[in-house]
Amino acid sequence: MWCSRLLRACSAPAPCSLLRPHSALAHMTRILEGELESIRGAGTWKSERVITSPQGPHIHVEGSRGGILNFCANNYLGLSSHPEVIRSGHEALEKFGAGLSSVRFICGTQSIHKSLEEKISHFHQREDAILYASCFDANAGIFEALLTPEDAVLSDELNHASIIDGIRLCKANKYRYKHMDMQDLEAKLQDAQKHRLRLIATDGAFSMDGDIAPLKEICQLAQKYQALVFIDECHATGFLGPSGRGTDELLGVMDQVTIVNSTLGKALGGAAGGYTTGPKALIDLLRQRSRPYLFSNSLPPAVVGCASKALDLLMESNAIAQSVAAKTKRFRSKMAAAGFTISGQDHPICPVMLGDARLASVMADDMLERGIYVIGFSFPVVPKGKARIRVQISAVHSEDDIDRCVDAFTEVGHKHRALP
Ligand code: PLP
């Protein structure tokens, strides 16, 4: 019966939209082609290099002969391909399956999700934690759940796109303060006194500049104006601070920062996943109200297994966190001695400031020809006239890897007259 209906449907005359080119589709394609052309014309087209090996300091890239030295992953601790992290992922896959086919509150919570949440809150010394599929989701889910039109959020103008999007979704009163400008933040806090709650939101470490939020001063202002502090620690968790707890540990304010959002997709094994950690009442509320948590699948067991082992390794010893700091120092001081300007403070994100977009792009290409993978960033990712090549140091780079990178930069810098 079902078959005969199908046969009749197949032999029926096709609707005209199937016989003629679909005019709405053609119209959309014309619009999109125009937009794509304008991206190409602006010189901001992002092409993707294809890696044919696991993530690490030495990779293989499609179209390039031999091994490539990789200086542009967020693999700060080198745990993305750590044998124990991989083994733990395998074990979780074997024991708990490929995935949950469910969101957490229906039937997607396994014992490993609960124990990873406990481990995260213990690591950050907070009351509780909640997992998300990504930190993008954690940022998308927190502001709307926590803040109402009676409240205010004060956000650094250079915060990550996911914080900006999360704030857009909430109905709180929005204040944007100048990048790390405490005078401006104070003025905005004064204005925001009329609201019920005030939440200051900032990246702990900013990924384009490698600079670190002045959390001590932010927390002092928060205390003065009765505000809460939220930090995004994606570029800090695992390696900033004496034991890698993050920017709040580095700057001695772990007890004053209320909420930490971070990722499992960078230093902590690099697979995927994000989280919020903070007061229990907030985490309880997020489990009830946070839309990316309620309406998106649970983290896959293999991902949970990898992140869990990454945290174990970090809690066993701070040697890896220390090692990335020493290598960062080596790179920054050698590049400065060669005549380059490196932005930011002691962070493994080392932006080599070049100014001109084309120069950043051709120098990055020349570096790849010398076997070194780095990426040039230009407008609109960074402000006009502030193009740069962003270098990221990892604990698994050897001193020789770092010296090779500096030598290649020096050669390419002279070739393109970027050096005196
Ligand atoms: N926040 C910051 C500061 C980031 O750099 C990123 C990733 O690039 C995110 C959030 C999103 O993290 P995830 O990759 O876990 O979604």
Side-chain angles (χ1 to χ4, degrees):
M1 149 111 164
W2 188 85
C3 266
S4 64
R5 250 195 238 149
L6 187 69
L7 277 176
R8 246 181 287 132
C10 291
S11 56
C16 347
S17 60
L18 292 181
L19 298 175
R20 279 194 278 116
H22 196 308
S23 67
L25 175 60
H27 186 51
M28 180 195 79
T29 306
R30 266 198 309 279
I31 293 171
L32 298 190
E33 277 168 357
E35 283 193 28
L36 293 172
E37 208 34 59
S38 76
I39 297 172
R40 280 192 201 95
T44 54
W45 186 266
K46 291 176 279 306
S47 38
E48 296 174 3
R49 287 175 185 150
V50 178
I51 300 171
T52 55
S53 61
Q55 184 61 280
H58 302 265
I59 53 173
H60 288 271
V61 174
E62 213 168 78
S64 296
R65 260 179 292 122
I68 300 286
L69 246 179
N70 181 12
F71 278 93
C72 55
N74 300 306
N75 185 19
Y76 296 112
L77 299 175
L79 298 180
S80 302
S81 304
H82 190 287
E84 286 188 49
V85 171
I86 295 172
R87 194 172 319 119
S88 175
H90 271 154
E91 282 168 10
L93 179 66
E94 288 289 339
K95 191 162 172 201
F96 291 95
L100 272 301
S101 308
S102 175
V103 299
R104 286 284 299 273
F105 82 96
I106 298 181
C107 64
T109 300
Q110 290 172 318
S111 49
I112 46 172
H113 295 95
K114 295 308 285 179
S115 73
L116 179 56
E117 286 170 341
E118 239 173 69
K119 219 174 261 187
I120 288 168
S121 55
H122 176 65
F123 179 76
H124 285 283
Q125 298 169 28
R126 298 310 202 274
E127 285 176 15
D128 202 354
I130 175 174
L131 286 170
Y132 286 87
S134 67
C135 185
F136 204 109
D137 278 354
N139 287 343
I142 189 164
F143 300 102
E144 190 193 20
L146 172 63
L147 303 173
T148 71
E150 285 184 81
D151 304 316
V153 57
L154 303 99
S155 171
D156 187 294
E157 64 180 348
L158 293 192
N159 275 342
H160 188 260
S162 53
I163 301 178
I164 295 169
D165 284 7
I167 289 174
R168 272 190 197 144
L169 291 170
C170 83
K171 294 197 171 70
N173 298 277
K174 292 155 192 150
Y175 295 83
R176 200 164 64 132
Y177 64 91
K178 292 195 193 109
H179 181 48
M180 304 206 305
D181 182 330
M182 294 301 99
Q183 265 186 342
D184 195 33
L185 174 58
E186 181 157 19
K188 304 267 155 59
L189 277 166
Q190 283 164 353
D191 196 38
Q193 285 306 291
K194 53 190 180 253
H195 303 300
R196 186 186 67 165
L197 289 178
R198 286 156 293 288
L199 177 67
I200 304 170
T202 180
D203 278 6
F206 291 84
S207 62
M208 281 301 135
D209 293 288
D211 49 0
I212 291 168
L215 284 189
K216 243 189 186 118
E217 293 75 7
I218 289 177
C219 289
Q220 276 162 5
L221 286 176
Q223 203 162 27
K224 184 167 171 191
Y225 293 97
Q226 292 277 297
L228 303 159
V229 178
F230 160 99
I231 56 175
D232 175 324
E233 288 283 87
C234 283
H235 294 279
T237 300
F239 56 94
L240 284 190
S243 58
R245 273 16 180 208
T247 319
D248 54 351
E249 186 193 40
L250 179 75
L251 300 174
V253 290
M254 281 185 91
D255 56 341
Q256 293 169 58
V257 169
T258 328
I259 307 164
V260 175
N261 272 13
S262 194
T263 186
L264 305 171
K266 299 192 196 301
L268 300 184
Y275 57 85
T276 296
T277 184
K280 182 167 181 339
L282 169 69
I283 305 303
D284 285 347
L285 182 79
L286 292 173
R287 289 194 204 281
Q288 302 305 314
R289 292 256 179 87
S290 182
R291 292 166 70 83
Y293 180 80
L294 289 169
F295 299 112
S296 188
N297 216 15
S298 295
L299 266 191
V303 169
V304 175
C306 290
S308 185
K309 178 52 74 175
L311 279 167
D312 289 344
L313 293 173
L314 274 173
M315 288 196 271
E316 273 163 25
S317 148
N318 63 356
I320 325 177
Q322 303 274 327
S323 143
V324 73
K327 283 162 189 170
T328 298
K329 207 171 203 163
R330 184 180 186 94
F331 180 80
R332 282 179 171 268
S333 60
K334 287 200 161 201
M335 285 291 280
F340 286 105
T341 302
I342 311 295
S343 152
Q345 314 141 354
D346 296 341
H347 193 282
I349 291 174
C350 304
V352 182
M353 303 307 287
L354 296 166
D356 182 68
R358 207 157 294 279
L359 176 65
S361 163
V362 293
M363 276 185 62
D365 289 345
D366 272 11
M367 290 291 286
L368 188 61
E369 272 177 25
R370 285 160 180 75
I372 308 225
Y373 187 5
V374 286
I375 291 277
F377 288 95
S378 53
F379 183 79
V381 182
V382 295
K384 271 198 176 124
K386 295 219 167 152
R388 66 201 65 182
I389 291 178
R390 189 176 71 172
V391 173
Q392 285 168 286
I393 306 297
S394 168
V396 282
H397 284 127
S398 66
E399 290 187 349
D400 185 51
D401 292 338
I402 290 182
D403 295 351
R404 262 187 65 198
C405 183
V406 174
D407 290 346
F409 260 114
T410 309
E411 200 183 311
V412 168
H414 280 303
K415 177 179 163 194
H416 292 284
R417 302 204 171 130
L419 282 176

